[in-house]
Amino acid sequence: MVTRNSWSVRTRLTLIAITVAFLCGLLTTTVLALSLHDLADGLRTNEVASAALEVIHLDEQASTPVTLPQGKAAGVQVVNSVGTVVAATPSLAGAPPVADFAPSAGSTRTDRELCRIPEFPGRCMVVVALRIPRPGGEWLVYSVDDVVPWYVQPQVFAVLVGACLALVALAGVGAHHMVTRALRPVSDISDHLAEITATDLGRRVPVPEAHDEIGRLAETINQTLDRLEGAVEQQRRFASDASHDLRSPLTAMRAQVEEALLYPEDTDWGAKATAMLASLDRLQALVSDLLMLARIDAGTPVAREPVDLGELCGDELERRKRGVEVVRELKPGLVVEGDRLRLARLLTNLLDNAERHAASQITVRVTEEDGTAVLEVLDDGAGIAPDQWEVVFRRFTRLDASRNRDAGGTGLGLSIAREIAQAHGGTLGLEDSPQGARFVLRLPLTR
């Protein structure tokens, strides 16, 4: 069953154009027909009055005849002052007065439309009454003719209806043609989108030359395809790197188990269990980071609560086991709004990264700068080259031997930290430092 909602845009717009054109044509035809009717009615009334004036002229030239010339009107009567018909055309011969009205005082002419004249059954007639002064009293001349029909004339009405239908047809054809031309770029865009698959995201839809809504739609679609291609490529790299990192600890544990099974009598099971626990810890850390990224990518909303950034850093530092010396410079009272657990995870990731690469000391500093809370984590290690400052925030990034995930990390900590910062409306990046790496987090303060 075809419903209105299944109609195409072209069909709907064409039907709308036809409906509007039909209503406009109907209104125009009605107005023109009424105007022509009023004009023709006025002309008919004047013609009927002229027929009565001819009678007056004849009456003045000779004695009133009993039978008047038929003339152009359907009938003419002359009624004397006592109401007796003294003269009439053959169509009204022997008939009583066709009307009983007369012009008002001070007027010599009036007219009415009568539909119940016995001599003209089933016909509506326009009757013009003229007052004729006579020495013995005023006489009345009634001139009668058919009223103008509402359609004036069949030929005129046919022309009006034909013009209306031609207008409707022209509007329908024109609307269909214009909509087809306007929607042709949309059809091209739709065809190209249908051909683009997950394995062919490099293609783009054509952008029309006209800078209109469809052109902006095509540009938006291409921008979306750009982002989609980037996201898919990132997802592919992520899946490849994740599978590699998950396979490494699993392979190590499998090798250890197989070696122990081959030489059970020579195996130090305590040492073997300790080695496997290290691999399991690495595997658990990697899975935990992957789950965190999955929640972030899914757009899990961030809880909003006031968090004192200096107090949070102090608590986390007290809770950690110190592998190197930690210098604290924490300004209290800098309150930001966000998820305390995620902000703690951000700080933990930065501290883990700093401890892996610090030579002997880490500095954690919380300050205020231009109405923004600033958290800095500095280490005195080898540092990172400026051209790698953005690279380190990519997932599963590999750098040189002194700073790669093989030093104990999962390769996801810094990426997670930046995602958390951006979810809180802040930024996280690397900035200049006289020695080592200097990670700087900026978050808006709560006033």
Side-chain angles (χ1 to χ4, degrees), residues 90-247:
S91 58
L92 293 176
V98 294
D100 56 359
F101 63 92
S104 59
S107 176
T108 60
R109 169 183 163 180
T110 187
D111 58 82
R112 293 184 184 177
E113 183 177 318
L114 302 178
C115 296
R116 295 183 178 179
I117 300 177
E119 286 71 25
F120 304 101
R123 297 162 61 183
C124 290
M125 314 296 287
V126 57
V127 181
V128 176
L130 293 179
R131 191 192 306 274
I132 304 175
R134 285 285 184 251
E138 294 181 340
W139 286 16
L140 294 174
V141 177
Y142 293 109
S143 182
V144 182
D145 204 353
D146 292 288
V147 299
V148 178
W150 63 269
Y151 52 84
V152 184
Q153 286 185 346
Q155 298 86 346
V156 174
F157 183 72
V159 170
L160 292 177
V161 172
C164 178
L165 295 177
L167 174 65
V168 172
L170 182 63
V173 173
H176 187 274
H177 178 69
M178 292 181 63
V179 172
T180 300
R181 287 191 58 186
L183 293 181
R184 185 173 295 117
V186 178
S187 300
D188 295 339
I189 292 172
S190 178
D191 293 340
H192 279 75
L193 277 177
E195 296 173 1
I196 295 175
T197 64
T199 59
D200 190 23
L201 291 176
R203 296 182 58 181
R204 295 296 179 265
V205 300
V207 178
E209 295 181 359
H211 298 289
D212 53 8
E213 291 82 357
I214 298 178
R216 290 193 293 272
L217 172 63
E219 293 174 354
T220 302
I221 290 176
N222 284 337
Q223 293 170 3
T224 303
L225 289 174
D226 290 338
R227 292 192 294 269
L228 179 61
E229 183 180 16
V232 170
E233 184 61 30
Q234 182 181 12
Q235 191 72 19
R236 288 172 180 167
R237 291 196 304 267
F238 180 80
S240 176
D241 292 337
S243 62
H244 180 275
D245 277 67
L246 288 171
R247 186 167 56 246

Side-chain angles (χ1 to χ4, degrees), residues 242-367:
S243 62
H244 180 275
D245 277 67
L246 288 171
R247 186 167 56 246
S248 296
L250 289 173
T251 302
M253 287 189 292
R254 181 181 181 86
Q256 291 167 353
V257 171
E258 289 178 347
E259 180 183 4
L261 291 175
L262 286 173
Y263 308 101
E265 64 281 353
D266 298 330
T267 299
D268 184 350
W269 291 100
K272 190 66 66 176
T274 301
M276 292 184 65
L277 281 175
S279 296
L280 286 172
D281 288 341
R282 178 175 172 79
L283 184 62
Q284 183 178 8
L286 182 59
V287 172
S288 177
D289 285 347
L290 289 173
L291 290 175
M292 172 62 74
L293 281 175
R295 285 194 292 267
I296 293 175
D297 291 341
T300 304
V302 177
R304 298 293 179 180
E305 61 175 318
V307 178
D308 188 313
L309 192 59
E311 178 185 344
L312 174 67
C313 292
D315 293 343
E316 291 301 316
L317 291 174
E318 290 292 337
R319 205 177 282 121
R320 288 178 63 87
K321 294 180 180 180
R322 300 182 184 181
V324 294
E325 180 186 358
V326 178
V327 179
R328 308 183 188 187
E329 299 177 12
L330 309 178
K331 180 178 180 180
L334 298 182
V335 180
V336 298
E337 193 175 75
D339 189 327
R340 186 179 185 88
L341 293 178
R342 289 197 181 186
L343 291 175
R345 178 63 181 274
L346 184 155
L347 175 61
T348 300
N349 289 358
L350 293 181
L351 292 173
D352 289 343
N353 179 77
E355 282 190 5
R356 283 196 300 272
H357 307 294
S360 60
Q361 186 181 86
I362 297 173
T363 301
V364 179
R365 183 180 299 124
V366 174
T367 59

Side-chain angles (χ1 to χ4, degrees), residues 383-385 388 391-392 396-405:
I384 300 175
Q388 299 293 314
V391 177
V392 296
F396 297 110
T397 297
R398 295 179 184 272
L399 294 182
D400 55 85
S402 64
R403 282 187 177 272
N404 60 32
R405 64 170 182 261

